[in-house]
Amino acid sequence: PRIFVTSEALAEGVRFADLFLDLKLASSKKEARRLIQGGGAKVNDEKIADETGTLTMADFGDAKEVTLRAGKKRAGVVEIQ
């Protein structure tokens, strides 16, 4: 799955739990938080350490998209609109 996020929203930061929910990689925010706590959530193959963390422009670097992973096989793309 692929979702689009505005650069204005990224300036404030978008919570990882909300993104996992929007990408349908988790069925609830609680499940998304558990996934992060358990170490199964990644942004561009780097583990997400903070369950209340946010995705910001800094996470994109020079790219226009990042990949969010839930475990080994489920992944989704967040793209700047």
Side-chain angles (χ1 to χ4, degrees):
R2 178 180 296 264
I3 61 170
F4 297 94
V5 179
T6 63
S7 52
E8 291 84 22
L10 288 171
E12 297 172 12
V14 183
R15 289 177 55 127
F16 286 120
D18 295 333
L19 292 171
F20 277 99
L21 198 60
D22 292 344
L23 285 166
K24 307 225 182 329
L25 297 177
S27 58
S28 66
K29 285 187 183 182
K30 186 165 184 132
E31 183 184 331
R33 285 197 305 268
R34 278 197 206 115
L35 185 70
I36 294 168
Q37 284 175 341
K42 296 181 179 182
V43 174
N44 286 341
D45 296 325
E46 291 182 27
K47 276 189 184 175
I48 301 170
D50 183 15
E51 68 187 60
T52 59
T54 58
L55 183 72
T56 61
M57 291 297 285
D59 294 313
F60 283 87
D62 295 336
K64 289 280 185 197
E65 61 185 35
V66 294
T67 304
L68 289 183
R69 292 195 165 279
K72 286 184 179 179
K73 297 183 179 176
R74 296 181 301 146
V77 176
V78 179
E79 191 172 332
I80 298 174
Q81 195 169 22

